[in-house]
Amino acid sequence: MTLPVFADVDTGVDDAVALVYLLADSRARLVGLAATGGNVAVQQVCRNNLALLELCGASGIPVSRGAEAPLNGPVRTAEAIHGPQGLGYAELPPGSGRLTGYDAAAAWAAAAREHPGQLVGLVTGPLTNLALALRAEPALPTLLRRLVIMGGVFSGERADRAEFNIGFDPEAAAEVFSAWAAVAPQRLPLVCGLDLTQRIAITPAILALLPAPTDSPVVRLLHDALRFYFEAHDARGHGYLAYLHDPLAAAVALEPGLVTTRPAAIRVVLTPEAERGRTIPDWNARQPNALIGVGVDPAAFFDRLVQRIGTLARRTPPSV
């Protein structure tokens, strides 16, 4: 039995890898994509999504345009990390598909109503679209089977600063966590913060375990995108590697058991100061609003990544 998945993305490099992972996993049925501004402008996110779906032979999946800007504040994109078009050095021909005639908030609500109690929601970008969807359909927390969010940072040296997705739209994040505060424990969103996702570091050696780029357009895309991502990480002192934040969240959306979690109440700092967007967990809260990922086995994740993407790559010949 397949899981219906609705993904909300700001497609930069690691979002692209996450989407390939979802399309490669036979247990996932991607029923819709929402685009939001974030890593790059929303128009570019839409183009990336349509082109990527076509490359992977999945051009029939609906793509809806979402928020261009946060609920309150300026747009700050991340081309320095993801490249001018968001896909590093990769250049894809435009996809032939078209956007839906409804926005991302409507797409969230429609997908949840169509698959009540079954839909898996995944957000790997800012939470603006989901916040707007909640305003239109407050029942979303009880309609979804589960929600997985890549965002925040809850321990370590980065914990005193905002993570990009939450920092892009703190008000939206605060609305989302507030909406889930009253749900049953098993419906709390599973949150993958930087302190968890930075344990998932892909290297050229791991990338080399996939089929050769000359044999697959999907692998060629990953090599070209990740080469830019490696260089961006190296320039920031992390080494020639890349943290796969969003692919881990995608894997957890399908297999929550990949990570260990702790319940907490997440507070998002909204004041206009240096800490704006910071996520502060209360681990002893009587009413938690999230399950925060605290442990992961990188080897188990990469075993899945290599196997699944390798299978997809062999299904998409060089002529695609």
Side-chain angles (χ1 to χ4, degrees), residues 169-257:
D169 195 341
E171 279 77 14
E175 285 193 28
V176 168
F177 289 125
S178 176
W180 259 266
V183 302
Q186 67 269 22
R187 291 187 181 272
L188 291 175
L190 200 161
V191 182
C192 299
L194 284 186
D195 41 315
L196 181 77
T197 60
Q198 285 187 335
R199 302 181 204 178
I200 304 299
I202 192 169
T203 62
I206 296 173
L207 188 59
L209 298 175
L210 294 174
T214 53
D215 295 335
S216 166
V218 173
V219 178
R220 186 162 60 249
L221 162 77
L222 297 181
H223 273 258
D224 290 343
L226 285 168
R227 181 160 46 91
F228 189 99
Y229 213 37
F230 287 149
E231 293 171 2
H233 281 71
D234 195 28
R236 286 160 177 77
H238 300 296
Y240 200 74
L241 50 78
Y243 299 129
L244 294 188
H245 312 288
D246 297 344
L248 176 61
V252 169
L254 304 180
E255 294 182 80

Side-chain angles (χ1 to χ4, degrees), residues 50-51 89 97 192 265 306 309:
L50 292 170
Y89 293 119
C192 299
V306 170
I309 294 182

Side-chain angles (χ1 to χ4, degrees), residues 147-161:
L147 172 66
V148 176
I149 296 168
M150 191 280 125
V153 55
F154 306 100
S155 65
E157 61 182 21
R158 284 289 309 274
D160 61 345
R161 288 170 280 167

Side-chain angles (χ1 to χ4, degrees), residues 15-162:
D15 304 78
V17 181
L19 289 176
V20 172
Y21 186 101
L22 289 174
L23 294 167
D25 196 309
S26 61
R27 295 164 305 170
R29 178 165 56 93
L30 196 56
V31 298
L33 277 182
T36 183
N39 289 324
V40 290
V42 69
Q43 302 95 312
Q44 186 62 49
V45 174
C46 291
R47 287 192 285 267
N48 290 349
N49 289 343
L50 292 170
L52 184 63
L53 290 175
E54 186 153 318
L55 180 77
C56 294
S59 55
I61 294 170
V63 178
S64 299
R65 175 175 168 150
E68 180 176 6
L71 298 177
N72 177 27
V75 176
R76 296 188 179 93
T77 51
E79 286 87 353
I81 297 175
H82 295 273
Q85 282 77 50
L87 297 179
Y89 293 119
E91 296 183 9
L92 294 181
S96 59
R98 294 181 178 273
L99 299 176
T100 66
Y102 44 89
D103 67 14
W108 264 107
R113 294 187 197 112
E114 186 176 349
H115 306 280
Q118 296 299 315
L119 187 69
V120 176
L122 170 67
V123 185
T124 63
L127 288 158
T128 316
N129 291 334
L130 183 53
L132 293 172
L134 283 162
R135 295 179 183 183
E137 178 50 273
L140 270 176
T142 57
L143 286 172
L144 296 181
R145 177 174 182 156
R146 62 175 163 266
L147 172 66
V148 176
I149 296 168
M150 191 280 125
V153 55
F154 306 100
S155 65
E157 61 182 21
R158 284 289 309 274
D160 61 345
R161 288 170 280 167

